């Protein structure tokens, strides 16, 4: 049995197991959660009430989540004197699926970001962000309902590798000299330098995960988003490796855009997933002008970062966009926004992003019934214009309700 320094495993419930490459979820499943900093307490309390109520409504007493609190961020610092204790990493690895609230990046704590550290330590290489419109949410575009995409963003390399040297630093000057001596490349002496690694293994595993997701959830297309016209051996290679993994490993399930016209007269054969690619800049136009032609977008880290927020803006902003960081099995679900410290303990902010991250988690567990109930109820609640301040200010003459009241209304509407 696993041993922790300061955590006690709940008496009730069992852990998820992986047997023959499959997730086996017990009916009373132990799920570790990190409350989060700032608004974390408000939104985690509200969200747990919604998830529990939906599971009860769907399954009665047959299924239940046994919550197991683990610590990161300010709460962890109080208990362990460390913002990201080893217990927390061990618990997520052992229990396989976990959910977290947002974490404030400690200033001068030696971490670039707790979130980035968690993703790297657990090798959670796909950042998955579904971006879908819920009826009634105020949106800046005319047809927000056309948006229903899932972004797979590579989580461990490209700019997230964090390899940079400051202008005029010793290492920077050495690299400039090395490039000049070895390759006759001239870089201005005062330039900062960053290195952007994009590898075959990591690109392929991301695109593989995106294809498996498309197969599991019935999506019709995957678009590889890249800037390969300019950066041939990083971004362009990402595209080439993406096609390679599709053709070599999923031949019977996919059709490439080239083959679509050469062999199928432009009509996607039923049951096949279209694999296409688009240059990053055009992708930003496309999600605005031809929104419904896109389903899954697979992208290296930086492209994925930009397109996630741009897409989320069309469906009501980050407050409505859930997220997950998933590795080979280990999955950590989290809202896309931060800890908004100025709203701490005000019972004010919108918990939808975290609630919907929990919906993703329920689907990952194959508990689809409560997931669907929550999605329908959120839609109903927003249509009734019972919303928190962020959405209320985008609607006419709507008095906002509190975070906890919003959760209660969702529960009533289940
Ligand atoms: P933020 O926490 O996302 O907040 C920025 C603004 O977004 C808020 O002031 C608020 O806007 C709005 N907002 C965020 N969450 C909301 C919610 N649930 N409901 C309604 N509105 C919401 O970004 P930040 O202020 O830049 O970052 C604060 C801390 O969070 C930093 O330490 C940062 O490093 C960290 N962070 C953590 C994560 C993560 O844990 N994954 C992600 C991003 C940032 P208005 O005031 O305009 O209403």
């Amino acid at each position: 049995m696993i041993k922790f320094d300061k955590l006690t495993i709940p008496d009730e419930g069992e852990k998820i197991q992986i047997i023959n490459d499959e997730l086996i979820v017990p009916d009373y499943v132990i799920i570790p959660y990190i409350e989060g900093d700032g608004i974390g307490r408000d939104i985690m309390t509200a969200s747990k009430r919604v998830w529990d109520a939906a599971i009860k409504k769907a399954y009665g007493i047959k299924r239940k989540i046994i919550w197991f609190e683990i610590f990161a961020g300010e709460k962890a610092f109080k208990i362990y004197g460390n913002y990201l204790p080893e217990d927390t990493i061990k618990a997520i690895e052992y229990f396989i699926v976990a959910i977290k609230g947002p974490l404030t990046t400690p200033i001068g704590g030696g971490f670039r970001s707790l979130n980035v550290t968690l993703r790297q330590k657990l090798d959670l290489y796909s950042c998955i962000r579904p971006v879908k419109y819920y009826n009634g949410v105020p949106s800046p575009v005319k047809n927000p309902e056309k948006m229903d995409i899932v972004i797979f963003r590579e989580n461990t390399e490209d700019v997230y590798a964090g390899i940079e040297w400051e202008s005029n630093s010793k290492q920077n000057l050495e690299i400039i000299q090395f490039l000049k001596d070895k390759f006759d490349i001239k870089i201005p002496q005062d330039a900062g330098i960053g290195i952007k690694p994009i590898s075959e293994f990591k690109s392929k595993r991301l695109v593989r995960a995106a294809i498996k997701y498309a197969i599991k959830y019935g999506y019709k297309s995957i678009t590889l988003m890249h800037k390969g016209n300019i950066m041939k051996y990083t971004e362009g290679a990402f595209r080439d490796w993406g096609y390679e993994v599709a053709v070599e490993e999923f031949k019977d399930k996919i059709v490439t855009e080239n083959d679509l016209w050469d062999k199928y007269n432009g009509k996607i054969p039923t049951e096949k997933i279209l694999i296409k690619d688009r240059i990053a800049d055009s992708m930003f136009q496309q999600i605005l002008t031809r929104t419904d032609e896109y389903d899954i977008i697979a992208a290296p880290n930086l492209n994925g970062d930009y397109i996630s927020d741009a897409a989320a803006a069309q469906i009501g902003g980050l407050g409505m966009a859930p997220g997950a960081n998933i590795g080979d099995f280990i999955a950590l679900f989290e809202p896309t926004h931060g800890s908004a410290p100025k709203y701490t303990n005000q019972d004010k902010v919108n918990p939808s992003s975290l609630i919907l991250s929990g919906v993703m988690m329920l689907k990952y567990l194959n508990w689809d019934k409560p997931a669907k109930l929550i999605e329908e109820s959120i839609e109903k609640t927003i249509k009734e214009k019972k919303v928190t301040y962020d959405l209320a200010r985008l609607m006419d003459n709507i008095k906002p309700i509190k975070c906890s009241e919003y959760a209660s209304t969702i529960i009533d509407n289940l």
Side-chain angles (χ1 to χ4, degrees):
M1 189 57 153
I2 188 159
K3 284 237 169 4
F4 294 107
D5 180 18
K6 291 183 200 262
L7 297 173
T8 312
I9 298 176
D11 295 333
E12 204 187 1
E14 291 169 71
K15 80 184 277 293
I16 292 171
Q17 301 205 49
I18 299 162
I19 300 175
N20 295 334
D21 274 352
E22 255 192 71
L23 217 57
I24 308 295
V25 181
D27 284 338
Y28 276 41
V29 60
I30 297 177
I31 301 283
Y33 72 97
I34 296 167
E35 186 179 79
D37 296 325
I39 55 173
R41 174 179 301 173
D42 286 346
I43 60 173
M44 187 58 82
T45 307
S47 302
K48 280 182 24 227
R49 283 175 51 221
V50 171
W51 301 324
D52 287 344
I55 292 166
K56 194 160 181 205
K57 174 111 187 166
Y59 303 127
I61 55 163
K62 199 179 159 292
R63 284 182 173 167
K64 192 176 169 188
I65 291 181
I66 310 297
W67 296 107
F68 174 28
E69 184 165 15
I70 59 173
F71 303 95
E74 287 154 13
K75 228 172 163 179
F77 194 77
K78 282 192 193 131
I79 299 170
Y80 291 87
N82 177 353
Y83 287 101
L84 190 54
E86 202 48 42
D87 266 4
T88 300
I89 306 279
K90 257 165 70 178
I92 300 171
E93 261 173 343
Y94 183 72
F95 287 98
I96 301 167
V97 172
I99 192 157
K100 67 178 272 293
L103 295 171
T104 301
T105 300
I107 296 172
F111 286 106
R112 207 149 57 100
S113 142
L114 293 175
N115 300 297
V116 175
T117 311
L118 265 169
R119 290 168 201 165
Q120 283 175 345
K121 286 206 165 191
L122 293 162
D123 199 22
L124 305 175
Y125 57 82
S126 308
C127 174
I128 306 176
R129 289 193 177 173
V131 186
K132 177 179 157 184
Y133 181 67
Y134 290 92
N135 245 314
V137 177
S139 160
V141 297
K142 276 192 197 145
N143 296 108
E145 71 287 349
K146 288 187 174 176
M147 174 71 77
D148 184 3
I149 64 174
V150 183
I151 296 158
F152 272 68
R153 168 191 175 198
E154 208 289 329
N155 232 353
T156 64
E157 58 181 0
D158 188 7
V159 293
Y160 255 19
I163 309 170
E164 279 198 304
W165 292 277
E166 195 178 357
S167 153
N168 280 313
S169 64
K170 182 172 169 287
Q171 297 96 325
N172 190 315
L173 295 173
E174 272 174 25
I175 291 180
I176 290 176
Q177 197 59 44
F178 171 80
L179 291 173
K180 185 166 177 288
D181 295 346
K182 190 89 178 158
F183 302 113
D184 198 27
I185 292 171
K186 293 184 188 68
I187 293 182
Q189 283 291 111
D190 59 352
I193 294 183
I195 289 188
K196 168 192 176 73
I198 291 192
S199 67
E200 177 174 357
F201 172 74
K202 291 186 172 184
S203 300
K204 282 189 168 174
R205 71 177 178 174
L206 177 90
V207 176
R208 187 179 297 118
I211 297 174
K212 284 185 178 169
Y213 188 95
I215 295 169
K216 178 168 176 191
Y217 294 107
Y219 284 92
K220 290 270 158 259
S221 75
I222 296 174
T223 306
L224 307 168
M225 175 185 177
H226 61 89
K227 187 72 184 166
N229 52 333
I230 303 298
M231 291 170 273
K232 295 189 192 322
Y233 306 123
T234 49
E235 300 267 336
F238 174 86
R239 173 203 55 212
D240 296 344
W241 289 322
Y243 278 120
E244 251 174 63
V245 88
V247 171
E248 285 169 10
E249 298 178 26
F250 299 92
K251 193 166 85 252
D252 302 336
K253 305 258 190 239
I254 61 104
V255 55
T256 63
E257 203 165 33
N258 276 346
D259 280 355
L260 183 68
W261 292 101
D262 291 352
K263 296 185 188 157
Y264 301 100
N265 222 0
K267 254 194 105 193
I268 305 175
T270 38
E271 308 284 304
K272 293 232 181 195
I273 297 163
L274 177 65
I275 309 283
K276 50 188 172 178
D277 74 277
R278 295 287 180 272
I279 304 279
D281 36 292
S282 113
M283 200 65 238
F284 283 90
Q285 268 199 54
Q286 297 275 307
I287 59 155
L288 273 168
T289 54
R290 304 170 74 157
T291 317
D292 48 6
E293 290 178 24
Y294 294 91
D295 292 312
I296 290 181
I297 297 172
N301 188 272
L302 188 61
N303 297 337
D305 194 13
Y306 293 156
I307 198 77
S308 296
D309 281 26
Q314 285 182 230
I315 56 103
L318 290 182
M320 293 304 297
N325 298 290
I326 301 186
D328 281 333
F329 282 100
I330 298 174
L332 180 60
F333 296 82
E334 64 171 354
T336 47
H337 57 71
S339 58
K342 65 181 173 182
Y343 297 123
T344 303
N345 292 333
Q346 290 184 22
D347 193 14
K348 176 171 173 153
V349 297
N350 187 350
S352 297
S353 176
L354 180 58
I355 295 174
L356 290 167
S357 304
V359 165
M360 284 178 83
M361 181 178 79
L362 291 169
K363 289 181 183 168
Y364 193 71
L365 303 177
N366 286 322
W367 291 14
D368 290 348
K369 220 167 145 189
K372 189 156 178 273
L373 283 174
I374 296 172
E375 286 189 294
E376 287 167 357
S377 178
I378 286 186
E379 199 149 56
K380 185 159 181 249
T381 303
I382 292 173
K383 260 197 202 152
E384 290 170 356
K385 298 195 181 335
K386 292 184 180 145
V387 292
T388 45
Y389 85 98
D390 53 316
L391 295 185
R393 75 184 163 194
L394 302 172
M395 297 171 165
D396 289 332
N397 296 323
I398 298 300
K399 190 169 171 285
I401 59 175
K402 291 179 176 170
C403 173
S404 56
E405 291 169 336
Y406 177 71
S408 301
T409 315
I410 294 174
I411 294 168
D412 291 344
N413 279 338
L414 280 170

